[in-house]
Amino acid sequence: MGCGKPSTETPHLIPYTETRTLMGTVVSITVYAPTFEKGEEAASDAYRQMEALERLLSGYTAESDVSRVNRMAGASAPVSPPTLFVIERALEMSKLTGGAFDITVGPLVALWRDSVVRARLPSDADLQAALLQVGYRKVKVSEGAEEATVSIPVGTSIDLGGIAKGYIVDQAVGVLRRHVSSALVNAGGDVYALGAKPGGEPWVIGVQDPRRPDDLSAYIDTLYVTDRAVATSGNYARYFEIEGKRYSHIVDPRTGRPVDSVPSATIIARDATTADALATAVSVLGATGTRELVLSLPGVESLLFVRTEEGRWERHASPGISALTTKPPRLD
Ligand code: ADP
Ligand code: MG
């Protein structure tokens, strides 16, 4: 992950890097600031914002908005403005991706987690029963003057795991912008590069080699970006293991089964919320569906590594990727 020396043109900016565990993953922030103290202050402000949002959006804490919506299934649950924003954005992404992205996968995720505990694959009957509770159109949002509410039917549950991290990265970047003009946030594969590095060099982001999941320094591609979000969904970091086989933690909302043909999906977009949700969605859509979708979205690029049925690896890149994988020449 890029964190070079400050260039000679801007000798007064120094890099400050901090890493914390948050949202069940490692979150690192690098900023270029005039002093160590200013860098530290920017990063700690950003972490504070991320922690506050995690408390609202996490499915793992009983006090979060998400847990309240799920607990109150069958009735309208009040939610705070950030949660409303993420849920509305998620529903837009569902429409955009033909339902490949769907936050109502909660019952399916629960079924597969349960299968891990029981060490047995779910039965078709279990899958069909869970699928009946899935469908983004079941989520009803109402924005009153006083408060917003979200309601889902009894039996349905929402899971913001495919979009919340991206949103939290975007909000952290919003905080960093008040302090600095050059920063990199990486929340376990959801990255945003703010500005360029001092001297105008782009930020350098390595794409993990999906063939070597256990070597985190093995990169298959390198991206050079400025003011862009880069999100990678892969089946190497988080997965379900049942009967000795690894299954992706991304499920296809149409079949209820974990996806298995896209071990690595990277999306480059203008914001991390979009990049995160699309990276999850294209893991479901596969190479052909991704090509059509990405060509229709301005400012979005995709880089997929897929495994064919014969076990061959294929790289599928959208047309704009080659410009991002080439290090731009220095003009000075
Ligand atoms: P990561 O957490 O590794 O960045 P993703 O952004 O791809 O991964 O999100 C995966 C998470 O999203 C899953 O753990 C689950 O909570 C949720 N999820 C799984 N399948 C879908 C789907 N089809 N649409 C939306 N969210 C999903
Ligand atoms: Mg995602």
Side-chain angles (χ1 to χ4, degrees):
M1 200 69 26
C3 163
K5 289 196 183 96
S7 114
T8 46
E9 291 146 38
T10 46
H12 43 287
L13 290 182
I14 55 166
Y16 171 84
T17 299
E18 193 175 330
T19 299
R20 295 191 194 175
T21 300
L22 217 75
M23 309 186 281
T25 193
V26 175
V27 180
S28 75
I29 297 181
T30 295
V31 297
Y32 276 96
T35 62
F36 177 89
E37 288 72 23
K38 288 208 161 74
E40 194 175 31
E41 193 189 325
S44 75
D45 255 12
Y47 281 123
R48 202 170 311 120
Q49 172 76 310
M50 295 178 115
E51 278 159 5
L53 291 170
E54 185 188 7
R55 282 194 286 275
L56 298 176
L57 301 172
S58 164
Y60 295 99
T61 54
E63 309 76 41
S64 73
D65 282 358
V66 168
S67 298
R68 186 182 321 112
V69 168
N70 288 338
R71 208 168 37 237
M72 289 178 67
S76 294
V79 295
S80 56
T83 310
L84 175 71
F85 179 89
V86 176
I87 291 176
E88 288 191 321
R89 195 80 189 96
L91 297 176
E92 280 169 34
M93 297 310 290
S94 296
K95 289 195 194 104
L96 193 69
T97 61
F101 185 83
D102 192 327
I103 56 171
T104 64
V105 292
L108 290 169
V109 172
L111 179 62
W112 285 95
R113 283 210 185 111
D114 190 46
S115 301
V116 175
V117 176
R118 290 183 306 159
R120 257 186 55 200
L121 289 172
S123 68
D124 279 347
D126 289 343
L127 273 175
Q128 293 311 319
L131 273 173
L132 286 177
Q133 317 292 348
V134 175
Y136 68 91
R137 290 190 182 87
K138 296 178 192 285
V139 181
K140 302 290 177 215
V141 174
S142 138
E143 282 180 73
E146 297 282 293
E147 67 171 11
T149 60
V150 172
S151 73
I152 51 172
V154 174
T156 297
S157 64
I158 58 167
D159 176 339
L160 300 182
I163 189 169
K165 253 196 290 161
Y167 171 76
I168 292 174
V169 166
D170 281 335
Q171 296 306 303
V173 169
V175 170
L176 292 175
R177 263 184 226 282
R178 290 188 226 133
H179 295 268
V180 297
S181 53
S182 172
L184 190 81
V185 180
N186 182 357
D190 287 315
V191 180
Y192 190 89
L194 171 65
K197 291 200 273 179
E201 292 241 355
W203 290 96
V204 184
I205 297 167
V207 178
Q208 167 73 36
D209 187 339
R211 296 163 306 177
R212 296 162 67 190
D214 301 320
D215 179 0
L216 293 183
S217 61
Y219 297 144
I220 194 162
D221 257 304
T222 305
L223 298 165
Y224 300 91
V225 291
T226 302
D227 286 322
R228 280 290 181 284
V230 179
T232 300
S233 280
N235 64 0
Y236 42 83
R238 296 189 203 199
Y239 49 84
F240 305 119
E241 192 162 329
I242 308 164
E243 296 173 355
K245 190 170 173 318
R246 282 185 184 188
Y247 293 89
S248 170
H249 64 150
I250 299 173
V251 292
D252 185 332
R254 299 161 299 191
T255 63
R257 296 178 189 281
V259 302
D260 66 359
S261 64
V262 188
S264 167
T266 296
I267 291 285
I268 296 102
R270 292 188 198 283
D271 64 87
T273 313
T274 303
D276 187 9
L278 283 180
T280 304
V282 302
S283 302
V284 174
L285 292 172
T288 310
T290 299
R291 186 180 314 124
E292 280 166 36
L293 174 68
V294 169
L295 284 175
S296 74
L297 301 174
V300 174
E301 302 296 342
S302 59
L303 178 61
L304 266 54
F305 292 93
V306 305
R307 260 200 118 162
T308 63
E309 279 173 17
E310 303 80 50
R312 254 185 309 109
W313 284 91
E314 287 178 357
R315 178 182 188 272
H316 293 263
S318 63
I321 286 291
S322 56
L324 297 170
T325 50
T326 318
K327 190 175 164 86
R330 284 195 70 116
L331 296 175
D332 50 316

